[in-house]
Amino acid sequence: MASKTFDDDRNYVLGDPELGLIGSREKLAQWRHRRKGPPFYKLGRKIVYRGADLNAWLAKNRTEPENG
């Protein structure tokens, strides 16, 4: 079984250093505004990312290099 970048059972909030793996605060804000990037919850003014959603988004955006 492959290891996962994020803990599936954890919620990540802006300011958590792990989120820097996928983008800066500014990049994440741009993606949210454009409805791109990983899924998120908005709870009042707080933005929450589920670890399972982050892992699924990473897997979906994985690129295989071409051989040859």
Side-chain angles (χ1 to χ4, degrees):
M1 183 165 117
S3 64
K4 297 189 177 181
T5 303
F6 296 95
D7 181 351
D8 278 342
D9 297 325
R10 181 175 163 196
N11 292 322
Y12 296 86
V13 296
L14 294 179
D16 285 343
E18 296 89 346
L19 289 177
L21 293 171
I22 58 173
S24 66
R25 284 178 79 109
E26 294 78 18
K27 178 56 79 179
L28 292 170
Q30 289 171 5
W31 284 344
R32 287 192 307 274
H33 179 73
R34 294 181 179 138
R35 301 286 187 200
K36 296 185 178 195
F40 64 93
Y41 294 95
K42 188 168 184 180
L43 305 172
R45 301 182 91 191
K46 184 177 262 192
I47 303 298
V48 179
Y49 294 93
R50 287 181 49 232
D53 289 339
L54 294 171
N55 285 323
W57 182 80
L58 285 173
K60 186 176 92 174
N61 288 282
R62 183 172 184 251
T63 301
E64 287 285 340
E66 293 183 25
N67 292 326

